[in-house]
Amino acid sequence: MHVDVPAKVHAIYDEVLRRNPGEEEFHQAVREVLDSLAVVLDRHSEYAEMKTIERICEPERQIIFRVPWQDDRGEVQINRGFRVEFNSALGPYKGGLRFHPSVNLGIVKFLGFEQIFKNALTGMPIGGGKGGSDFDPKGRSDAEVMRFCQSFMTELYRHLGEYTDVPAGDIGVGAREIGYLFGQYKRITNRYESGVLTGKGLGWGGALVRTEATGYGAAFFAEAMMTVRGETFEGKRVVISGSGNVAVYGIEKVHSLGGTVVACSDSSGYVVDEDGIDLEVLKQVKERERGRISDYADRVASAEFVEGGSVWDVPCEVAVPSATQNELDDDAATVLARNGCRYVIEGANMPTTPSAVKVFRDAGVAFAPGKAANAGGVATSALEMQQNASRDRWTFEHSEARLAEIMRDIHTRCHETAEEYGSPGDLVLGANVAGFLQVAEAVHAHGLI
Ligand code: GLU
């Protein structure tokens, strides 16, 4: 069968738009992958015949549910819960839960779609899924968060299982929330099923390095990009946006590799600290006190807080967007490139807009997409599942060495695939094609399901 590939890819995208109206972030994520796949259909006409791409763009299952709970004043609150079980060709659905007021079906679908290819790139046996709620944990007491998590799990538990679907954290979901979710799952099912959630506490089935993994992994990935160019982190000025889990441990690893992170941010603004961000103060402010980034500047003499500004105005050689989707637009990209930025590594999921990616490409900036660079978190979740399944517990050193190896392997795979498919240096194409091929082969092998 002859296939007009560009027209075919276009038609697939048009159908995604038609079938999923208004889901902008999902459209964006699909578009970004489809833009890389013409070269694949050229070589694999069987994927066109069997509509493999079309099937991967359609989630296997989408669950939307009501989450009622009572706040500390006794007022009834209603939130909406989601779990999109996108693709199970490579293993049980795996992906985080996000609790943030911006969460809607389109956001969960974009994240779930990205997760399929990210998880494939790790080389671990995990499918792709994502979930969450428009619940806003900010300003809520521990008791309110617990009641919310219990109500959320009272519906979700029936869809989960260590061989079915294994959630973890994402924005707004950390060890505290995973604890409450696990407790309720155990209570309802009467099973101590460690492998049903990852990101658990270290004392009850959690894995060492899981907390640090996404940030550490992004730094290892950046290091691999530098090695190819005969460079290291030594002496490099780095800016990391955000101040959550990814940013904090990204800063920690960049510092240990010889770079200096001079700025980070939250939704209120950013801090610049020419001496390098003091990690202990940052952890105290953001992790223990759940405070604002301005509190950091109040405590560190060399730091300055800039309210409301863009952290990308701070000159750097390496930028690591680690806050949220579409946080870095083409204006910010132009400023970064003009200021001499040479590496951009996505620590968050899809933080760079498509037009910003184009600015970086045109300026010759080395760019790493999140589905490759931030895969360290979910890869270490798979290591947690592995430890749970064997009732084992690995040391920090062993786990970190595994993570470093996985990140280097992902980089090599993306780099080599880009070369093989005629776009040397294009890690976006390399990640999309390598991730897609791995999933597509399994989808194909399982027949028309
Ligand atoms: N939420 C993380 C991600 O975006 C981790 C998911 C997981 O560990 O399952 O990949």
Side-chain angles (χ1 to χ4, degrees):
M1 178 169 92
H2 170 75
V3 185
D4 176 353
V5 167
K8 170 94 192 151
V9 172
H10 236 96
I12 296 173
Y13 184 63
D14 285 345
E15 181 60 8
V16 168
L17 289 185
R18 191 194 64 77
R19 184 176 274 162
N20 306 279
E23 297 176 358
E24 280 168 37
E25 291 83 0
F26 179 51
H27 303 161
Q28 184 183 331
V30 171
R31 176 79 202 248
E32 194 254 358
V33 171
L34 289 183
D35 279 347
S36 302
L37 293 187
V39 286
V40 174
L41 287 186
D42 267 339
R43 295 191 195 183
H44 293 275
S45 60
E46 72 275 21
Y47 295 153
E49 277 159 39
M50 290 309 293
K51 302 204 173 173
T52 309
I53 302 180
E54 292 90 323
R55 281 193 278 149
I56 293 174
C57 288
E58 182 66 20
E60 289 175 15
R61 194 173 298 107
Q62 307 183 54
I63 302 145
I64 305 180
F65 52 100
R66 180 175 61 207
V67 189
W69 58 285
Q70 242 172 335
D71 68 19
D72 285 346
R73 293 175 310 160
E75 194 181 321
V76 171
Q77 301 282 345
I78 315 287
N79 286 100
R80 185 172 286 178
F82 302 90
R83 186 74 182 166
V84 173
E85 298 181 332
F86 226 118
N87 193 290
S88 61
L90 297 177
Y93 309 107
K94 183 85 197 83
L97 297 170
R98 177 177 292 192
F99 292 170
H100 191 269
S102 65
V103 167
N104 57 39
L105 184 60
I107 298 263
V108 178
K109 278 164 73 175
F110 120 63
L111 290 163
F113 185 73
E114 290 272 299
Q115 200 84 44
I116 304 170
F117 307 104
K118 181 197 306 196
N119 294 4
L121 286 171
T122 66
M124 314 295 288
I126 41 180
K130 201 86 182 193
S133 174
D134 57 1
F135 170 70
D136 186 359
K138 209 178 278 175
R140 291 292 179 190
S141 68
D142 285 353
E144 289 177 314
V145 170
M146 181 181 76
R147 287 196 293 276
F148 174 80
C149 288
Q150 289 178 340
S151 180
F152 185 86
M153 186 53 93
T154 300
E155 170 59 34
L156 192 64
Y157 87 95
R158 71 190 80 247
H159 306 288
L160 306 183
E162 63 174 315
Y163 298 110
T164 311
D165 186 351
V166 183
D170 195 82
I171 294 172
V173 178
R176 174 182 63 171
E177 291 74 17
I178 294 294
Y180 297 144
L181 292 164
F182 185 78
Q184 187 72 351
Y185 183 86
K186 176 166 67 83
R187 185 185 191 194
I188 295 173
T189 60
N190 193 30
R191 282 166 62 87
Y192 202 109
E193 194 182 325
S194 299
V196 75
L197 287 169
T198 60
K200 299 182 292 295
L202 293 177
W204 45 276
L208 287 163
V209 188
R210 177 62 193 89
T211 310
E212 296 84 354
T214 313
Y216 278 20
F220 290 138
F221 195 92
E223 194 187 34
M225 292 167 80
M226 290 171 190
T227 304
V228 167
R229 290 166 178 78
E231 296 183 30
T232 67
F233 258 116
E234 206 58 53
K236 285 198 168 55
R237 232 177 113 86
V238 183
V239 168
I240 300 189
S241 65
S243 46
N245 182 260
V246 183
V248 166
Y249 293 98
I251 295 171
E252 186 166 289
K253 191 47 70 183
V254 166
H255 284 174
S256 78
L257 294 173
T260 305
V261 180
V262 293
C264 64
S265 64
D266 69 11
S267 55
S268 67
Y270 67 90
V271 287
V272 190
D273 187 345
E274 290 293 338
D275 288 353
I277 298 290
D278 182 325
L279 206 64
E280 272 323 299
V281 178
L282 185 66
K283 282 184 183 172
Q284 177 64 26
V285 167
K286 297 302 291 190
E287 286 188 343
R288 291 187 274 277
E289 297 173 15
R290 295 181 191 272
R292 307 303 296 168
I293 198 77
S294 53
D295 301 340
Y296 177 92
D298 293 341
R299 288 174 211 184
V300 179
S302 51
E304 189 199 337
F305 173 62
V306 180
E307 196 177 342
S310 165
V311 73
W312 309 120
D313 290 343
V314 181
C316 62
E317 270 183 278
V318 184
V320 189
S322 305
T324 195
Q325 65 271 359
N326 292 328
E327 56 163 301
L328 200 171
D329 63 12
D330 45 345
D331 287 340
T334 305
V335 173
L336 278 166
R338 198 193 308 127
N339 285 339
C341 179
R342 297 173 46 243
Y343 292 93
V344 175
I345 293 96
E346 290 193 324
N349 292 311
M350 209 171 74
T352 317
T353 65
S355 46
V357 176
K358 188 174 178 319
V359 170
F360 290 136
R361 188 171 290 151
D362 293 347
V365 175
F367 179 81
K371 62 171 77 70
N374 75 33
V378 76
T380 309
S381 278
L383 301 181
E384 181 172 333
M385 292 162 76
Q386 197 176 329
Q387 290 166 78
N388 293 151
S390 57
R391 301 190 186 280
D392 198 0
R393 194 176 161 75
W394 303 349
T395 62
F396 194 94
E397 290 69 26
H398 177 68
S399 311
E400 190 184 1
R402 288 282 282 123
L403 169 64
E405 187 191 352
I406 291 169
M407 296 314 296
R408 280 193 296 268
D409 286 351
I410 297 174
H411 176 267
T412 303
R413 219 164 135 199
C414 296
H415 187 79
E416 288 178 354
T417 306
E419 271 180 8
E420 190 187 330
Y421 281 80
S423 300
D426 185 347
L427 295 177
V428 172
L429 183 126
N432 287 336
V433 171
F436 174 80
L437 284 174
Q438 175 134 8
V439 179
E441 208 175 294
V443 167
H444 202 64
H446 294 168
L448 187 54
I449 56 169

